Amino acid sequence: MTAQVAGLLGAGLAAGALSLGLPVTAHAAPRTSPVARMLRVTRLWQAGDEGQGVRVGVISGGVRNFRVLVRRGILPSTIVRFGRGEGRGDEGDWMLQVVHDVAPRADLAFCPGGAPLRTVACARRLIDRFHAAIVVDDINPQPVYFAPTVKARGYARLLRDHPRVLMFTGAGNNGGGYYQGSWHPRVVTQDGRRTDAQTFGASARPYDRLWVGPGAGAAVLLGINIPPRASGRCPRNGTPTRLEVTDREGRVLAQATGTCPVLSVRLRNDRSRIARLRILVLRPLRPWPQGAIKLVAIRIGLGVSPLALSDHTGGGAGNSATVAGLMAVAALDPGSGDHGRYLAEPYANSGPQCLDYAQSAEGLRRLKPPVCFRQPVFAAPDRTRVAMPANNGRGYAWRAFSGDSAAGPAAAGVAALLLADHVPARHIETLLKRAARPQGLKAGWRPRTGYGLVDADAAAVAAGVLAPRTGPPRRPPVAWRPGRAAFREDRALLSAAQAGDRHAARMLRRRACAGEPVAQSLLGTLYNRGWGVGMDPRAAHAWWTRAARHGVVTAIYNLGMTWAIGRGATPNPTVGYALMRVAQRRGLAFPPMRRALRRVRALLSPSARARAEGLERRFAADPARIPVSG
């Protein structure tokens, strides 16, 4: 046990990347992918429904590698492209592959979006010239507080003019690193001058705090409630606002000043330790009407994920789906499955999406109460295996496509299957809601996953396209009872998986899904190290969470490490340190563990250490109170 946990410590301190598959050949992605199984499209495929004749338009940044993918047979040569050039990036290539994987016979088109006006123009072009029945985009605006946004106004007009067109968008990838609140000033002295600073949360602190891991970058976005002029220029008579990111000593690392509705700064942590930073929002001392700010912190450089703010709030973080009929889709982690339930990706936005202000001829008008939309509507899996350029620049490899940019086209592909079976477009949203698999204990809308996971076969049954299944009902999982024989067998499976035996990994996963806590802990080890499965830190975090909530001490420690360093989870050294201390209290001890505890403790302020001690007592008394997400 000691050697195993010591190895995990070393792996936890190293930055991990999603696993790569084999080089791409001339055939499309496997039809038995985890994403296809989760969406349950098998019966529709068997009935001959593959989306034939349905036109799907995709809007994203660019299709830089489109020609190569067509030449290799990964994408069909019949895809219609609008706009000049290939756009920026190759995320459009990946979105097209997701739709093609779910609905392989649908007709596809692509238009490069970007700025709100350009995105709306793309949607109109796809509808008017390509006659798209479905439009899916992954373009979310910067955080703004007033309504309607340019994109929302344009999409509302399109939905009114074309009520039979289905429109999907991503729910957004800013969840967790998001704050919104009214402007409550506190006078501070900055650079020798007295000025008003935003007070975050219920406390009187003028700073909000965030953590940035070694080698990671950060983007901090500030949305303020000043609408831009029609020309798009900043208002000349607006109150200047300054956004600063400082270190613990108050040294300014990055700043931006202006009267525009959005300010942003970027920085990178080039050190080998986690950087503890502070955000400060400043305005000159002058009378200021009651207003609001919206703040988002995003990790850059190591994949899309939020940076945890100390005063995190729920909400959409600038999501554009504040239009009736525009369906936002949240991302679920396909590697975290447990009896039909999956964890939402930590960066997925949560709802409801609320509008606090409306524009009028006199300026901003506060909405009381705010206008709120139940977004996201659905959830779909991300981490779809798509062809991306290989790391060595030679050829392509199957890699995981994460974020709501992957979940949106997956749901759009399911809609294409239903349209191909002549299900009326006006019924599809209702059918998908009714057939979705709830991701909680009760049916109904939930802030992180909407009405649940999209289920193609169940929606087809509800529409009368497929007959209900007949046969004996599925047996519930057998309750797990501890025993030494099961423990020895699990350890043997772990050793075999470490040697590369994928069958052993599947057997261990089967035991974990049956509810055996030791197997769940060991399965987390497989995902963390990539033994017999693709390396997936998020899945490791999910399985260690389940085992830790059953009191498995090694899982408690490993889970603490994932929280502390942000491997597979939003960094939260306070929770991580508390969990590591619980494992130590329960008798786990080995030399690297003490060193790791000292390092994590050094990251905490005195008040954070006090909070960690309280969490330690709570988790030690009842492991079931260990949180499942950030």
Side-chain angles (χ1 to χ4, degrees):
M1 180 183 298
T2 301
Q4 173 200 352
V5 179
L8 289 171
L9 175 65
L13 293 175
L18 291 171
S19 59
L20 298 182
L22 296 175
V24 172
T25 57
H27 56 269
R31 295 290 296 279
T32 57
S33 66
V35 171
R37 288 196 298 270
M38 285 177 62
L39 293 172
R40 292 184 178 174
V41 300
T42 308
R43 291 188 65 198
L44 284 169
W45 283 348
Q46 292 172 347
D49 179 5
E50 296 184 337
Q52 52 269 30
V54 178
R55 300 194 169 199
V56 181
V58 173
I59 304 174
S60 186
V63 283
R64 187 176 53 190
N65 298 291
F66 174 80
R67 291 185 178 87
V68 177
L69 297 176
V70 169
R71 192 161 56 245
R72 297 197 175 195
I74 297 167
L75 285 176
S77 59
T78 56
I79 295 178
V80 178
R81 290 170 51 195
F82 293 96
R84 296 180 180 179
E86 298 173 341
R88 301 179 61 181
D90 53 2
E91 201 157 5
D93 290 326
W94 310 338
M95 293 178 67
L96 289 167
Q97 290 180 65
V98 174
V99 178
H100 184 60
D101 188 33
V102 178
R105 295 178 62 188
D107 299 322
L108 304 177
F110 175 81
C111 185
L117 286 174
R118 183 175 181 179
T119 300
V120 173
C122 266
R124 183 169 295 280
R125 189 177 302 175
L126 289 168
I127 295 171
D128 292 343
R129 296 177 57 183
F130 181 64
H131 306 293
I134 299 172
V135 174
V136 56
D137 77 83
D138 68 341
I139 308 295
N140 285 302
Q142 302 287 6
V144 289
Y145 230 98
F146 56 85
T149 64
V150 174
K151 179 182 174 183
R153 189 186 302 114
Y155 270 44
R157 189 178 301 113
L158 285 173
L159 287 163
R160 184 174 62 250
D161 296 342
H162 305 278
R164 295 184 180 180
V165 176
L166 301 175
M167 294 192 180
F168 293 84
T169 188
N173 295 326
N174 305 320
Y178 168 62
Y179 170 83
Q180 71 173 23
S182 298
W183 175 263
H184 293 293
R186 178 188 177 187
V187 178
V188 298
T189 301
Q190 191 77 355
D191 298 331
R193 297 181 180 179
R194 287 164 56 82
T195 184
D196 276 344
Q198 163 72 3
T199 298
F200 293 98
S203 68
R205 292 183 293 100
Y207 291 97
D208 198 4
R209 293 167 173 80
L210 59 85
W211 308 84
V212 180
V220 180
L221 311 174
L222 175 68
I224 54 182
N225 62 352
I226 304 174
R229 295 182 181 274
S231 63
R233 298 176 181 175
C234 301
R236 295 180 180 178
N237 58 348
T239 301
T241 303
R242 186 159 85 248
L243 170 65
E244 293 183 355
V245 178
T246 72
D247 58 16
R248 285 189 292 181
E249 288 71 34
R251 290 187 294 264
V252 177
L253 305 178
Q255 64 177 328
T257 304
T259 59
C260 284
V262 175
L263 299 176
S264 65
V265 296
R266 288 175 175 247
L267 63 146
R268 181 170 295 280
N269 177 19
D270 295 324
R271 299 182 178 180
S272 59
R273 299 181 59 183
I274 296 177
R276 197 172 107 191
L277 307 178
R278 301 190 297 183
I279 303 173
L280 189 63
V281 181
L282 302 168
R283 284 173 175 158
L285 284 171
R286 65 176 63 180
W288 184 258
Q290 179 73 12
I293 68 168
K294 185 172 285 190
L295 189 72
V296 180
I298 307 171
R299 177 184 298 172
I300 57 177
L302 292 177
V304 178
S305 63
L307 290 164
L309 300 174
S310 58
D311 285 298
H312 161 79
T313 60
N319 181 271
S320 59
T322 50
V323 178
L326 178 58
M327 294 172 277
V329 186
L332 290 180
D333 177 5
S336 66
D338 185 26
H339 304 312
R341 294 189 179 94
Y342 301 83
L343 294 179
E345 292 286 18
Y347 39 73
N349 284 353
S350 59
Q353 315 290 334
C354 296
L355 306 177
D356 301 85
Y357 290 85
Q359 294 188 57
S360 64
E362 295 76 24
L364 286 177
R365 175 175 56 87
R366 183 140 191 168
L367 300 173
K368 295 183 177 180
V371 177
C372 296
F373 294 81
R374 281 194 165 185
Q375 301 281 9
V377 181
F378 316 112
D382 67 346
R383 305 185 184 232
T384 312
R385 293 175 67 229
V386 299
M388 298 184 183
N391 288 341
N392 59 8
R394 300 177 180 177
Y396 286 75
W398 292 116
R399 302 178 68 182
F401 177 24
S402 299
D404 70 329
S405 298
V414 171
L417 298 179
L418 297 175
L419 285 179
D421 271 319
H422 308 291
V423 177
R426 65 181 182 276
H427 296 327
I428 286 183
E429 181 178 354
T430 302
L431 289 170
L432 291 176
K433 288 179 181 177
R434 186 185 306 168
R437 283 175 280 162
Q439 295 303 293
L441 297 178
K442 298 180 180 179
W445 184 85
R446 295 171 62 86
R448 289 185 66 84
T449 58
Y451 288 91
L453 174 60
V454 171
D455 190 323
D457 287 344
V461 170
V465 173
L466 295 177
R469 281 189 178 274
T470 58
R474 296 182 178 180
R475 297 180 180 179
V478 179
W480 173 77
R481 294 180 176 84
R484 290 186 177 274
F487 179 79
R488 287 195 298 269
E489 183 176 345
D490 289 336
R491 295 293 302 210
L493 291 172
L494 175 68
S495 300
Q498 181 178 359
D501 187 343
R502 293 186 176 273
H503 176 70
R506 288 193 295 270
M507 291 294 295
L508 191 59
R509 179 179 174 84
R510 187 176 303 170
R511 299 178 72 91
C513 290
E516 182 180 334
V518 173
Q520 292 171 344
S521 177
L522 298 178
L523 185 61
T525 302
L526 298 191
Y527 277 113
N528 185 64
R529 302 302 296 268
W531 292 341
V533 296
M535 184 184 292
D536 191 337
R538 172 62 177 161
H541 174 83
W543 285 108
W544 278 335
T545 298
R546 295 190 177 97
R549 288 165 66 87
H550 283 94
V552 180
V553 65
T554 52
I556 293 174
Y557 176 79
N558 292 332
L559 184 66
M561 285 297 302
T562 66
W563 280 108
I565 66 176
R567 180 176 170 83
T570 302
N572 192 327
T574 303
V575 174
Y577 183 71
L579 290 169
M580 295 164 71
R581 286 279 298 162
V582 171
Q584 187 181 47
R585 178 186 289 193
R586 293 197 170 201
L588 189 64
F590 56 97
M593 179 179 176
R594 298 170 186 169
R595 184 167 60 251
L597 278 165
R598 287 196 301 269
R599 289 180 178 177
V600 177
R601 189 176 188 274
L603 297 171
L604 305 180
S605 64
S607 60
R609 292 171 192 167
R611 290 196 301 272
E613 291 174 0
L615 292 173
E616 176 189 345
R617 291 190 293 270
R618 181 192 306 177
F619 300 156
D622 183 7
R625 300 179 72 177
I626 293 174
V628 298
S629 66

